[in-house]
Amino acid sequence: MKRTLSTKFKLTLWFTGFLAVLAAVCLGLILVINSHVARTEAFNILSLTVRGNIPNVSANQDRLVLKPEFEFYSNNVYMLIYNKNKALISGQAPPSFPVDAALENGVTKFVPDGESGFYVLDFWIPSGWDDGFWLRGVLNSPDGSQAIHTILAIFSFILPFFILTAAIGGYLIVKKALAPISYITETAESIGEGRDLTRRIGIPKGSDLEVVRLSSAFDHMFERLEQAFEAEKQFTSDASHELRTPTAVILAQCSYAKKHGDTIEDYQEAIEVIDRQAKKMSFLIERLLDLTRLDLGTQKVSREAFDLSAMTAELCEEQDQGGRGISLAADIEPGIVLEGDPFLISRVIVNLLENARKYGKENGHIWARLSAEGGYAVLEVKDDGIGIDPEHIDKIWQRFYQVNPSRKGNSGLGLGLSMVWQIVSLHKGTVKVKSEPGKGSCFTVSLPLHSAS
């Protein structure tokens, strides 16, 4: 298996290599600048020295006249005088200088000589119409080798220390910068190995923004995974618990029909029982799946504006079938517009009305009221039934919880109010209940109105 370098080592190597290249470039620039500065300084010294001696040279009846101020050697510059025929007549050239080098008026040039050379500047000093002298200044080219050796010696001493320090510092910086990533990785692996999805990474505030965002993304992922696993466990537990009874009934009816089914009526009765239990199982599974989808957030929620008043009036009319002799009275304010999922909101209304009818008293009453109050649509469903004891109020939103389990014949699955609570929460609303045993209950749902209402 091919081993790859760690990110810390790669970043440190790149950082160190970049600094080494940068140091080499700086060294080259220093050497170039040093050479250029030395050459420029030599040109300036040569020019000033030669120009300063021009006034000290003159001619008298074709004879050269030098003033006492004239210096043949000054500032390391050798002064040479040539006649008009370019023959040296005065001054001593430096060793190895070619005295017959071409003369050019006012031109500074380099005359090579082996490994080194000379800088030369010539001026023509006229005397009469066609006579005069050449004044030449000669300067040894500066020997930059000593300066170069000095610079290289300094760099060879400082550069390794500088690069080593930079490498160590870069590694520590990279290590510190990547430490939260390592912590996130270790925590994620620990959570995966221990299957403890309740743990969170929890990078403290004040850390790098990118690290905090990464940590938050992982925490959100773990939260979603935990929610999915809990929903799966809940679904499995609920299904296994609630399907046990109808499954047992179906098996018992099948066994009974096999042993004692002597007539068509016996088989028909068994089939009817099996049909009822199968429908109950199908209804239960559908409700459990709906709740699981709401738990996981996979239930598609459409957001559209709809007339809640018209929907509530229609549902109240459909639910007013007079079951158990209970009458339904509706007081609905017209023109209330809500933004949300019409199907889910209709489930809320239907579940509350069915709950009121199931737990209402015989020949009792149900009152449904819809109004707009303070930017909210407020739906109240009130009955005069058995009511709820105070110790049960906080438990009625739980799945399969029934206030009066003895009323099996008329009670539901215990999922309606749980679904109501989830749907209302999904729409950023609230649901409350007020109840008094023996006098009835009042459920109040508040949902944000559509902005155009």
Side-chain angles (χ1 to χ4, degrees):
M1 182 177 178
K2 185 179 179 180
R3 296 185 64 184
T4 58
L5 299 177
S6 66
T7 303
K8 286 186 287 188
F9 186 78
K10 288 180 180 178
L11 289 175
T12 304
L13 186 63
W14 186 93
F15 182 71
T16 305
F18 176 77
L19 286 179
V21 172
L22 182 63
V25 171
C26 291
L27 175 60
L29 289 175
I30 290 174
L31 294 177
V32 171
I33 292 172
N34 176 73
S35 176
H36 177 73
V37 170
R39 183 177 178 182
T40 303
E41 184 179 1
F43 279 7
N44 290 335
I45 292 174
L46 179 61
S47 177
L48 291 174
T49 303
V50 175
R51 292 176 186 276
N53 273 323
I54 290 177
N56 299 325
V57 179
S58 61
N60 184 10
Q61 296 180 357
D62 298 331
R63 294 181 62 185
L64 177 63
V65 179
L66 299 177
K67 293 183 179 180
E69 292 84 1
F70 184 86
E71 296 179 345
F72 281 98
Y73 182 78
S74 176
N75 299 326
N76 296 323
V77 178
Y78 294 86
M79 304 303 302
L80 306 178
I81 299 176
Y82 295 77
N83 60 18
K84 65 179 180 180
N85 297 323
K86 301 183 179 180
L88 181 62
I89 60 175
S90 183
Q92 183 177 359
S96 72
F97 176 74
V99 294
D100 57 348
L103 294 162
E104 297 180 63
N105 186 34
V107 177
T108 303
K109 59 186 178 180
F110 178 76
V111 178
D113 177 34
E115 296 181 358
S116 60
F118 304 90
Y119 294 123
V120 177
L121 176 59
D122 303 320
F123 283 104
W124 168 253
I125 301 175
S127 176
W129 291 99
D130 58 353
D131 201 3
F133 304 94
W134 285 95
L135 178 63
R136 164 171 281 180
V138 181
L139 176 64
N140 285 305
S141 63
D143 184 9
S145 60
Q146 183 63 36
I148 292 175
H149 289 321
T150 303
I151 293 173
L152 291 176
I154 294 174
F155 262 80
S156 63
F157 176 75
I158 294 178
L159 191 58
F161 175 76
F162 176 73
I163 293 178
L164 180 62
T165 303
I168 295 174
Y171 178 80
L172 294 177
I173 292 173
V174 172
K175 182 179 180 181
K176 183 178 180 181
L178 295 181
I181 306 298
S182 301
Y183 174 75
I184 291 174
T185 304
E186 294 172 0
T187 305
E189 291 176 350
S190 174
I191 292 174
E193 292 173 358
R195 302 183 64 85
D196 183 9
L197 295 177
T198 61
R199 289 185 57 189
R200 296 293 180 265
I201 294 174
I203 293 293
K205 293 183 178 180
S207 302
D208 292 340
L209 178 61
E210 293 80 5
V211 175
V212 173
R213 290 180 60 188
L214 179 61
S215 172
S216 299
F218 269 94
D219 286 342
H220 181 67
M221 179 187 68
F222 289 137
E223 182 178 347
R224 295 285 295 173
L225 288 174
E226 180 187 5
Q227 187 179 8
F229 279 115
E230 289 298 325
E232 180 183 357
K233 289 168 58 179
Q234 183 72 46
F235 178 84
T236 304
S237 174
D238 294 343
S240 61
H241 178 269
E242 294 299 321
L243 294 178
R244 186 181 297 113
T245 299
T247 301
V249 173
I250 290 174
L251 293 175
Q253 287 296 321
C254 291
S255 177
Y256 178 83
K258 287 180 180 180
K259 294 180 180 180
H260 307 288
D262 298 328
T263 63
I264 295 177
E265 288 77 9
D266 292 336
Y267 283 105
Q268 185 174 1
E269 181 180 356
I271 290 174
E272 289 178 354
V273 173
I274 292 173
D275 180 67
R276 287 197 303 271
Q277 296 300 322
K279 289 180 179 178
K280 181 178 180 181
M281 291 172 65
S282 176
F283 180 77
L284 173 63
I285 292 173
E286 288 180 2
R287 295 300 172 269
L288 287 175
L289 288 175
D290 288 339
L291 287 171
T292 302
R293 294 188 189 102
L294 289 173
D295 286 339
L296 295 177
T298 57
Q299 172 75 43
K300 291 184 178 180
V301 180
S302 63
R303 294 289 179 179
E304 57 180 274
F306 63 94
D307 191 336
L308 181 61
S309 299
M311 173 187 286
T312 306
E314 182 178 350
L315 292 175
C316 287
E317 184 178 351
E318 292 176 357
Q319 294 294 317
D320 188 16
Q321 302 299 323
R324 301 178 62 228
I326 299 176
S327 63
L328 193 156
D331 180 12
I332 300 172
E333 180 180 330
I336 297 178
V337 179
L338 197 69
E339 184 174 17
D341 190 313
F343 174 74
L344 293 180
I345 297 299
S346 67
R347 297 285 293 275
V348 171
I349 300 172
V350 170
N351 285 357
L352 289 178
L353 293 175
E354 288 181 348
N355 186 77
R357 188 172 296 278
K358 289 173 184 175
Y359 294 101
K361 66 181 181 180
E362 296 286 342
N363 302 317
H365 301 83
I366 298 174
W367 295 272
R369 179 175 178 272
L370 178 66
S371 61
E373 301 176 10
Y376 285 84
V378 180
L379 171 67
E380 294 181 357
V381 177
K382 183 179 179 182
D383 63 74
D384 53 2
I386 61 175
I388 307 172
D389 292 328
E391 62 268 20
H392 297 291
I393 291 292
D394 295 333
K395 302 176 182 178
I396 61 174
W397 311 112
Q398 300 174 8
R399 297 178 185 180
F400 302 107
Y401 188 83
Q402 297 177 357
V403 175
N404 190 358
S406 62
R407 298 182 58 183
K408 290 292 183 181
N410 196 38
S411 62
L413 299 174
L415 296 175
L417 292 181
S418 178
M419 187 172 293
V420 167
W421 185 87
Q422 285 185 296
I423 294 174
V424 171
S425 298
L426 194 64
H427 286 78
K428 311 298 182 183
T430 59
V431 56
K432 300 177 182 178
V433 60
K434 292 182 179 179
S435 182
E436 186 175 349
K439 294 186 178 181
S441 305
C442 178
F443 289 84
T444 304
V445 175
S446 298
L447 295 167
L449 287 173
H450 183 243
S451 58
S453 290

